[in-house]
Amino acid sequence: MRTTAAGAESPVHLLDPDTVSTRDLDRHAMAHDASHYLLVPQGVATPRNAADVGALLRRSRELGLPATFRSGGTSLSGQALSDSLLINTRQHFRGVEVLDGGARVRVQPGATVRSVNARLAPFGRKLGPDPASEIACTVGGVIANNSSGMACGTELNTYRTLESMVLVLPSGTVIDTADADADRRLRELEPELHEGLLKLRRRVVGNDQSVRIIRSLFSMKNTMGYGVNSFLDYERPVDILMHLMIGSEGTLGFVAEAVFRTVEVKPAAATGLLVFNTLDAAMGALPDLVSTGLATIELMDAAALKVAQAAADAPAAIRTLPVQGHAALLVEHQGSDAAELSGKRAGSQQLFDSLDLATPFALTSDPKDRAALWHVRKGLYTAVAGARPSGTNALLEDIVVPVPALAVTCGELTRLFHEHHYKESVIFGHAKDGNVHFMLNERFDDPDQLLRYQAFTDEMVDLVLGAGGSLKAEHGTGRIMAPFVRRQYGDELYGVMQEIKRLIDPANLLNPGVLLADEPLSYIENLKVAPTVEEEVDRCVECGYCEPVCPSKDITLTPRQRIVLRRDIAAAEQRGDHALAASLRKDYDYDGVQTCAADGMCVTACPVLINTGDLVRRLRKENANTVAAAGWNKAAENWGAVTAGGGLALTVAKAMPAPLPKAATAVGRALLGPEAVPAYADVLPGGGSRRRERRDPGSVAVFFPACIGTMFGPAEGPEGKGKGSAQAFLDLCERAGVGITVPEGIESLCCGTPWKSKGFSQGYDAMTAKVLDQLYEASGRGRLPVVCDAASCTEGLETMKRLAGADGERYAGLRFVDSVEFVHQHVLGQLTVTAPLGSMALHPTCSSTQLGTNPALLDIAGAVTDDVFVPLNWGCCAFAGDRGLLHPELTDSATNRQAGEINEREFDAYASTNRTCELGMSKATGHSYRHLLEILEEATRP
Ligand SMILES: Cc1cc2nc3c(=O)[nH]c(=O)nc-3n(C[C@H](O)[C@H](O)[C@H](O)COP(=O)(O)OP(=O)(O)OC[C@H]3O[C@@H](n4cnc5c(N)ncnc54)[C@H](O)[C@@H]3O)c2cc1C
Ligand code: SF4
Ligand code: SF4
């Protein structure tokens, strides 16, 4: 591992400090991508626009400073790293503009594939490239890696679907290839390059062997080396240049913007799992299966099937199969509508019937069954990577061979796994393209293991090249395969590639060491080590899936960065670099711990189910200030007085003329502690009403009104002061004739989140004991469900039960239901909407997302108005109980984009499901957010 410090002599210090950070924490946070390589940059630049990037490239050229672009950081081959200058081209480059009714789309390079597809969805269109990492990978990375996926093959990748791009060359020259005179501009601005590309074209076209090699390799998915097929496919230098940029892995220039032709979304689909007795049989059936027009054909070898069948939710078809040499193909037909789909199904039925299969087969269109089948395939990575031994790195390989050679290649790979003792390796992938992946769990800090990895790689390279395949189908050459490009293409085409690089980046400053490398063993340099640190940290595969959903991503750190910094701190300590460890620790407190909303959004995206919020809460617990903890322990004993007092303090504060509110808030701070009401914020309402018990012998549920309703009173409704979510819920139930009980002693109960999020475990335990006991009794020992009117508190109660330790079993019967879900199931059907609204902006919360109540939320909103708007930039507001009060800058950053989108128009109502989130969104948008049930109650009054 290289850990170059940004020493005073480093030229990065000569760059604009407003754009470039040399802080240890920033350098180490960005040192990790999804690959098994690690390089620590000397500086991290965050340009705001393409002009900034151009200026950075010109300046780094003057200074002889190498630079690498980093976007989603999901690359697996080591191409998104630098030990010099790393340029973050994701943060300020997320714009998307839909063109021609969705037929085309103009995109900035930092937009994730998912966000682009979300913008295209209303038009029934999507991007052609379909990498499995779409949640986090960005258009810049997709173009620069020429990424593909399960369905796109070689027909719908970037090379085939990109219409034009704005590119910035290392010289700073900017070319928009859409301009009619782009080729003339290129010739005027870069005459040597223009002429050089023409010469190279003549050289390639005139060499029969080069033409043969290119035709053969690019008839498959192929991301080895440069896309030299551009010389055969295009004549004008500007077109050749644009297509060479595709798959160039940031070594030739910056893609500042791109226009894609989009492809149709085929909403009708039918999926099935063909389980064959042997791999040979599966591969033998492949040509016929391909010819029936299947959209995807995904291979799983015997080892993969064994992993899949061990899952609790494994489909019946494989659950009991005594797997030996079996292999499965997950197949899917897709159609624009039911008629097209049924035509395709009918067309392939005879073939399916004729296959000699190990288990019965049927295609299903049922969304649940289809999801279960896809879960088998997509869960493989999770299962193998998540279960790898602590201290090892997961390395995902990606080869392609001509389809007829796939069976032998897979068999030989399995032999190599056995020979080199890679026990957990499974083979899976895109069989119809001859493209398969396999995972190696490797420990790179052990010299013996490193030798084994080297020996395996040598044999694997021989195997793939011998079969006429390519060593990288879709993940890019990166550092891992750069030394093998010469062997892949031969000396002549390798020379062409070197000349491409010399023409465009003569000083070799863009991403050196990536894509082309002359040093044969460079692929085993700068490898990651994975010190054993903490449970969440050790499991992380650094894939980056969690980054886009994290509310603190634009202000401090992402979940992946919170995790890798724990690794880097441990590694620094192990190396004896205590100064670095101390420097990282110091800044980690604010960036890592204080500004984590602990909302757990990361777990919703993580393939190995890591909730970084749990890690942060534990760190908070370790750091918990004993004085504050004692105060909060006391508060747990007297919660009724505290909430009422806090609410009163806020009411008093509200009523006082400025500047007195600040003084009045001090009352709240004294009562609640400095962490609870940290500073007077205009956003805070007056206090709410006290919670009171209520009995109803015909009750069908126990209601747990959240204490935040007492602390923070309701927002203004159309008729003045609103009634709050608790009263709205009770009124709605009464209107629908649904009996509800509120338990005795409710004013002293809380879901425990304030203690848990701050790491005050004693207070949390005390509250847990009290709450679970009282709710257990009140619900008739779990007979009735317990309903809560704040989504985060419903989630908090669930967590309380889950963490109840030895007592957990006693409370196993307790069921917690969010009020939105309860109203959806038991109340909505009895109501009549008497005063529908014209429109509503809806803010689902992190908790409603994790509780799975968003569909109910949308249904209720849809009952009140036909025009429900959830912004495409929706994300957790990070108010997170008190984080928005303690660190308003966190909520400001998390809500900035969505607030902008919402405020593009006016809505009749603004709704959410949690009082604190409502406050956060009210502050962000300047509109008064209320609980959805309050709005429903008003719209259904008789
Ligand atoms: C679990 C997992 C599954 C994956 N599945 C697939 C899959 O199915 N198919 C597939 O093809 N890939 C897959 N990948 C690999 C990876 O996600 C893709 O290659 C992805 O397109 C990389 O995008 P990114 O935004 O993360 O780019 P990064 O990793 O940030 O960068 C990739 C390369 O592009 C360069 N770059 C980035 N932006 C620009 C720009 N604007 N201009 C010029 N160069 C730029 C970088 O310097 C780097 O060389 C997977 C990865 C993971 C972790
Ligand atoms: S926490 Fe999960 S999603 Fe995030 S980088 Fe680690 S493994 Fe990937
Ligand atoms: S808990 Fe929330 S803020 Fe913290 S790392 Fe996860 S997503 Fe980010």
Side-chain angles (χ1 to χ4, degrees):
M1 179 180 79
R2 214 178 281 176
T3 56
T4 327
E9 73 292 350
S10 166
V12 287
H13 292 291
L14 301 171
L15 297 169
D16 179 2
D18 281 348
T19 315
V20 180
S21 167
T22 53
R23 196 167 68 129
D24 287 336
L25 189 97
D26 296 328
R27 297 187 308 107
H28 281 264
M30 292 289 275
H32 301 243
D33 68 2
S35 74
H36 52 291
Y37 293 97
L38 180 66
L39 278 88
V40 182
Q42 294 171 38
V44 177
T46 312
R48 303 194 75 83
N49 50 45
D52 279 359
V53 177
L56 269 168
L57 293 185
R58 272 192 298 275
R59 190 76 181 111
S60 63
R61 191 166 160 152
E62 286 161 17
L63 297 169
L65 185 70
T68 298
F69 305 114
R70 158 68 72 83
S71 204
T74 65
S75 282
L76 291 156
S77 307
Q79 61 268 58
L81 303 167
S82 169
D83 57 3
S84 183
L85 178 67
L86 195 64
I87 306 179
N88 171 356
T89 52
R90 174 171 64 178
Q91 188 155 340
H92 296 297
F93 295 88
R94 296 192 203 136
V96 180
E97 186 191 353
V98 175
L99 306 170
D100 304 340
R104 298 184 308 139
V105 64
R106 188 190 309 281
V107 204
Q108 289 189 325
T112 61
V113 169
R114 179 170 288 192
S115 72
V116 180
N117 286 343
R119 290 291 299 273
L120 290 168
F123 304 94
R125 310 291 297 179
K126 61 175 184 166
L127 288 173
D130 59 348
S133 49
E134 49 81 47
I135 189 172
C137 74
T138 67
V139 167
V142 166
I143 295 173
N145 285 350
N146 196 19
S147 312
S148 43
M150 297 198 190
C152 97
T154 51
E155 292 312 307
L156 303 177
N157 60 15
T158 302
Y159 189 84
R160 300 277 171 218
T161 59
L162 191 81
E163 187 173 277
S164 67
M165 66 166 69
V166 176
L167 56 93
V168 184
L169 294 174
S171 57
T173 296
V174 180
I175 305 280
D176 183 348
T177 66
D179 286 347
D181 66 347
D183 194 58
R184 186 180 55 78
R185 235 177 96 74
L186 180 66
R187 192 176 61 230
E188 280 172 13
L189 295 173
E190 302 275 347
E192 198 201 330
L193 170 57
H194 193 273
E195 181 51 30
L197 289 172
L198 283 174
K199 263 196 203 149
L200 279 178
R201 180 170 188 278
R202 285 193 292 272
R203 175 172 162 186
V204 173
V205 172
N207 184 317
D208 288 348
Q209 199 188 1
S210 293
V211 172
R212 233 184 352 264
I213 294 172
I214 292 174
R215 293 270 183 246
S216 156
L217 284 175
F218 287 93
S219 67
M220 302 178 289
K221 287 182 171 186
N222 173 31
T223 56
M224 274 295 273
Y226 289 120
V228 282
N229 49 337
S230 316
F231 292 114
L232 303 189
D233 297 340
Y234 298 94
E235 290 179 8
R236 290 193 319 160
V238 77
D239 296 327
I240 295 172
L241 178 62
M242 178 177 108
H243 287 89
L244 282 175
M245 291 289 289
I246 299 169
S248 66
E249 301 175 27
T251 62
L252 298 182
F254 175 60
V255 180
E257 192 177 277
V259 176
F260 281 84
R261 289 181 295 276
T262 61
V263 304
E264 187 194 350
V265 174
K266 304 232 172 192
T271 313
L273 190 66
L274 297 161
V275 184
F276 294 85
N277 291 306
T278 63
L279 185 64
D280 274 346
M283 296 296 110
L286 208 49
D288 288 341
L289 289 168
V290 171
S291 69
T292 66
L294 283 160
T296 59
I297 306 180
E298 291 292 301
L299 169 71
M300 286 174 275
D301 75 345
L305 281 173
K306 278 187 190 158
V307 168
Q309 70 179 174
D313 52 357
I318 55 167
R319 207 175 303 146
T320 53
L321 183 75
V323 178
Q324 282 170 344
H326 296 82
L329 296 174
L330 182 65
V331 294
E332 184 166 288
H333 272 310
Q334 295 172 359
S336 305
D337 50 33
E340 190 192 343
L341 179 66
S342 95
K344 286 185 174 172
R345 288 180 73 150
S348 53
Q349 196 54 50
Q350 203 181 351
L351 172 64
F352 291 144
D353 291 343
S354 71
L355 297 173
D356 180 17
L357 298 173
T359 61
F361 170 80
L363 282 173
T364 173
S365 286
D366 181 273
K368 266 201 183 140
D369 295 341
R370 284 187 55 233
L373 288 173
W374 276 112
H375 183 68
V376 172
R377 159 67 181 85
K378 293 184 177 167
L380 284 172
Y381 177 74
T382 313
V384 178
R388 77 193 187 286
S390 164
T392 61
N393 286 292
L395 191 160
L396 188 60
E397 274 294 2
D398 162 44
I399 58 156
V400 58
V401 292
V403 171
L406 193 55
V408 174
T409 307
C410 291
E412 283 297 289
L413 273 177
T414 308
R415 182 183 62 75
L416 288 181
F417 298 151
H418 287 308
E419 219 170 272
H420 295 280
H421 307 290
Y422 284 115
K423 291 201 185 76
E424 314 83 2
S425 295
V426 299
I427 299 175
F428 56 96
H430 321 309
K432 79 181 168 68
D433 303 315
N435 170 205
V436 291
H437 303 299
F438 54 88
M439 220 176 313
L440 304 178
N441 290 335
E442 194 52 281
R443 181 167 212 125
F444 294 120
D445 55 356
D446 176 341
D448 289 341
Q449 308 268 303
L450 197 54
L451 281 175
R452 151 174 101 147
Y453 168 59
Q454 229 175 301
F456 173 85
T457 303
D458 281 346
E459 290 188 58
M460 190 265 291
V461 168
D462 286 345
L463 172 67
V464 175
L465 297 187
S470 166
L471 296 165
K472 280 291 165 192
E474 50 178 26
H475 293 168
T477 316
R479 290 171 189 278
I480 188 171
M481 286 301 161
F484 300 98
V485 175
R486 188 188 283 271
R487 272 183 71 191
Q488 176 84 65
Y489 285 90
D491 288 347
E492 165 57 17
L493 279 172
Y494 189 69
V496 169
M497 292 186 187
Q498 284 179 311
E499 185 58 13
I500 293 169
K501 177 72 173 169
R502 194 199 61 74
L503 274 173
I504 300 175
D505 180 23
N508 190 23
L509 290 179
L510 276 189
N511 222 358
V514 164
L515 202 139
L516 300 178
D518 288 331
E519 165 53 50
L521 289 182
S522 61
Y523 77 99
I524 49 165
E525 288 172 6
N526 303 307
L527 294 167
K528 267 177 188 166
V529 290
T532 298
V533 186
E534 281 132 345
E535 192 259 326
E536 296 86 358
V537 176
D538 296 349
R539 254 185 317 134
C540 175
V541 290
E542 304 187 5
C543 64
Y545 277 23
C546 51
E547 297 200 323
V549 296
C550 174
S552 62
K553 64 178 180 294
D554 289 334
I555 184 168
T556 51
L557 296 175
T558 67
R560 169 167 63 177
Q561 293 172 340
R562 290 194 163 91
I563 284 177
V564 299
L565 283 163
R566 300 292 298 164
R567 283 193 170 137
D568 282 9
I569 291 170
E573 292 287 17
Q574 277 173 18
R575 283 196 310 274
D577 191 347
H578 303 301
L580 175 64
S583 157
L584 294 175
R585 260 203 203 97
K586 176 174 72 63
D587 289 335
Y588 195 84
D589 181 51
Y590 175 79
D591 290 61
V593 177
Q594 296 302 326
T595 51
C596 168
D599 58 338
M601 279 304 287
C602 35
V603 76
T604 65
C606 175
V608 292
L609 301 178
I610 295 172
N611 183 341
T612 309
D614 287 344
L615 165 71
V616 168
R617 273 191 289 265
R618 229 181 22 253
L619 295 174
R620 285 187 190 147
K621 186 167 157 183
E622 283 162 19
N623 300 340
N625 166 332
T626 42
V627 178
W632 277 86
N633 293 344
K634 202 96 200 115
E637 289 164 21
N638 305 293
W639 193 236
V642 172
T643 49
L648 179 67
L650 290 172
T651 305
V652 173
K654 270 288 189 207
M656 287 188 177
L660 283 180
K662 276 204 166 110
T665 307
V667 180
R669 285 165 75 85
L671 279 163
L672 298 174
E675 285 232 287
V677 188
Y680 183 79
D682 290 340
V683 65
L684 294 185
S689 3
R690 294 186 79 137
R691 296 177 289 170
R692 298 186 199 289
E693 61 184 90
R694 165 193 175 118
R695 282 164 204 271
D696 183 334
S699 286
V700 298
V702 172
F703 182 42
F704 183 97
C707 48
I708 47 174
T710 303
M711 303 264 264
F712 305 124
E716 299 272 305
E719 296 160 10
K721 193 166 161 46
K723 58 172 57 169
S725 54
Q727 195 55 49
F729 172 76
L730 291 170
D731 289 356
L732 282 167
C733 289
E734 201 163 296
R735 200 169 292 160
V738 173
I740 296 289
T741 286
V742 179
E744 213 176 308
I746 183 67
E747 68 280 4
S748 69
L749 303 184
C750 170
C751 69
T753 304
W755 290 267
K756 188 156 184 296
S757 68
K758 292 182 178 58
F760 297 142
S761 53
Q762 201 185 325
Y764 184 70
D765 293 345
M767 187 55 83
T768 298
K770 192 157 66 172
V771 167
L772 292 183
D773 216 47
Q774 271 176 251
L775 292 182
Y776 185 64
E777 292 307 328
S779 65
R781 307 188 164 205
R783 192 175 51 81
L784 299 181
V786 178
V787 182
C788 181
D789 63 327
S792 68
C793 305
T794 313
E795 207 193 348
L797 289 167
E798 270 292 347
T799 308
M800 221 174 212
K801 186 178 101 175
R802 183 164 49 82
L803 299 180
D807 290 335
E809 221 148 90
R810 172 160 185 242
Y811 303 123
L814 267 176
R815 284 171 295 141
F816 297 109
V817 182
D818 189 65
S819 56
V820 166
E821 185 75 50
F822 184 83
V823 166
H824 185 245
Q825 275 182 19
H826 302 279
V827 178
L828 189 62
Q830 328 295 322
L831 302 175
T832 306
V833 176
T834 50
L837 295 176
S839 60
M840 182 193 295
L842 183 65
H843 178 73
T845 67
C846 54
S847 300
S848 64
T849 303
Q850 289 180 61
L851 289 167
T853 55
N854 286 344
L857 199 66
L858 284 163
D859 265 6
I860 295 177
V864 174
T865 169
D866 290 337
D867 182 4
V868 179
F869 178 76
V870 179
L872 288 168
N873 287 299
W874 172 82
C876 166
C877 67
F879 206 91
D882 61 2
R883 286 298 109 176
L885 294 173
L886 289 165
H887 300 292
E889 69 282 13
L890 172 63
T891 293
D892 289 349
S893 167
T895 52
N896 187 16
R897 278 171 176 268
Q898 48 187 326
E901 208 183 322
I902 291 161
N903 282 343
E904 280 171 18
R905 56 179 279 210
E906 287 286 316
F907 294 91
D908 288 351
Y910 296 82
S912 189
T913 63
N914 216 65
R915 191 68 193 109
T916 48
C917 307
E918 290 155 34
L919 296 174
M921 288 307 294
S922 300
K923 179 161 182 281
T925 59
H927 293 286
S928 186
Y929 272 74
R930 295 189 296 146
H931 197 289
L932 180 63
L933 295 188
E934 285 181 72
I935 296 168
L936 178 70
E937 189 279 321
E938 284 159 13
T940 56
R941 285 182 189 166

